[in-house]
Amino acid sequence: MTDLLALPEDWSRALAIVAHPDDLEYGAAAAIARWTDQGKWIGYVLASSGEAGIDGLNPAQAGPLREKEERSGAAHVGVETVEFLGHRDGVIEGGLDLRRDLARAIRRHRPDILILMNYAERWGNGAMNMSDHRAVGIAALDAARDAGNRWVFPELLDDGLEPWSGVQWAAVGASPHCTHGVEVTATIERGVASLAEHRAYLAGLGDAGTDPDSFLRNNARDSGAKLGVEYAVEFELVHL
């Protein structure tokens, strides 16, 4: 018996919504590479540019650099559409402005599913999750419903964006309540390459960021054991 169910793959379009550059690269990118290999379309929407994420680099320099690293990392896993919403890194507010921006993106891209990162109060090891992750994850779930209601944010209609209620569910990576897994045995190397593109960010982490290969492979090996494969990535499946 395995501990994880296989994540459904009967969909064609996904929108990955996260707070920062590198959020998707800590695991989910290897699954995204699998899905783009299947011919699925996946786009990235990032609430911030991660400009507060490198202690020794001021935000005006760090933001453009991290955007460039994110686009390079996305290219390794077959993602061409990478958008940044310009919310301020570290103090992202999960209010109406963020919901409107995300609803706009969902209406434009019309995904079948969302790919999110952990928005719970804590990680699986008990450590406190940061506020940006919590705010963006919850706002994305709300925005999926907002996108389907023409009377919520009616100004989007003025932009020619008709309602979209086609989001079926969300796959939440790094959740403390993972229920499903995706085999990434054939794509783990591209996931590692995607994270390795975040050179400036990883350098800023010091010793903690020096070996993305070992970090990702060890996690994927543990998850693979739960799915009965060599390497896997875990997700919580949330129906919308």
Side-chain angles (χ1 to χ4, degrees):
M1 297 292 293
T2 57
D3 297 323
L4 297 171
L5 300 171
L7 193 81
E9 295 183 325
D10 56 343
W11 48 272
S12 60
R13 295 180 65 83
L15 194 62
I17 298 174
V18 294
H20 318 104
D22 82 80
D23 285 352
L24 290 164
E25 285 69 33
Y26 277 96
I32 289 169
R34 170 189 171 99
W35 293 327
T36 58
D37 283 352
Q38 294 172 352
K40 304 181 191 300
W41 180 91
I42 299 179
Y44 287 3
V45 171
L46 295 94
S48 81
S49 298
E51 68 275 10
I54 302 176
D55 185 61
L57 201 60
N58 72 59
Q61 296 173 298
L65 175 58
R66 299 203 67 198
E67 288 184 7
K68 181 179 179 181
E69 290 183 339
E70 181 64 20
R71 291 192 176 95
S72 297
H76 281 286
V77 297
V79 174
E80 297 179 356
T81 300
V82 182
E83 301 173 354
F84 300 89
L85 299 181
H87 290 258
R88 187 179 165 202
D89 184 19
V91 290
I92 298 174
E93 296 181 311
L96 294 178
D97 287 345
L98 180 59
R99 280 173 52 188
R100 182 186 299 107
D101 287 346
L102 295 179
R104 179 181 290 109
I106 290 170
R107 287 194 186 188
R108 281 194 297 106
H109 295 298
R110 305 174 84 79
D112 305 310
I113 71 164
L114 301 181
I115 302 168
L116 310 178
M117 297 305 294
N118 179 28
Y119 52 81
E121 183 180 72
R122 297 183 182 275
W123 299 100
N125 63 4
M128 180 67 71
N129 195 1
M130 72 173 297
S131 61
D132 282 0
H133 298 154
R134 303 198 308 268
V136 171
I138 292 295
L141 296 178
D142 290 338
R145 179 170 294 180
D146 298 336
N149 188 329
R150 72 176 56 250
W151 308 122
V152 177
F153 307 129
E155 59 270 33
L156 299 182
L157 296 172
D158 297 334
D159 296 335
L161 296 172
E162 289 295 318
W164 175 250
S165 56
V167 180
Q168 306 165 32
W169 44 269
V172 184
S175 167
H177 310 294
C178 287
T179 53
H180 291 68
V182 177
E183 183 177 4
V184 297
T185 305
T187 56
I188 184 67
E189 290 185 5
R190 287 162 62 199
V192 171
S194 185
L195 178 57
E197 287 291 342
H198 293 262
R199 294 180 181 86
Y201 176 73
L202 292 171
L205 295 177
D207 291 343
T210 55
D211 192 2
D213 188 283
S214 294
F215 177 86
L216 291 179
R217 286 183 188 275
N218 289 339
N219 285 348
R221 188 177 294 111
D222 290 344
S223 298
K226 299 178 186 178
L227 191 63
V229 299
E230 184 176 4
Y231 291 119
V233 175
E234 298 182 38
F235 294 91
E236 177 184 4
L237 193 153
V238 178
H239 288 281
L240 298 173

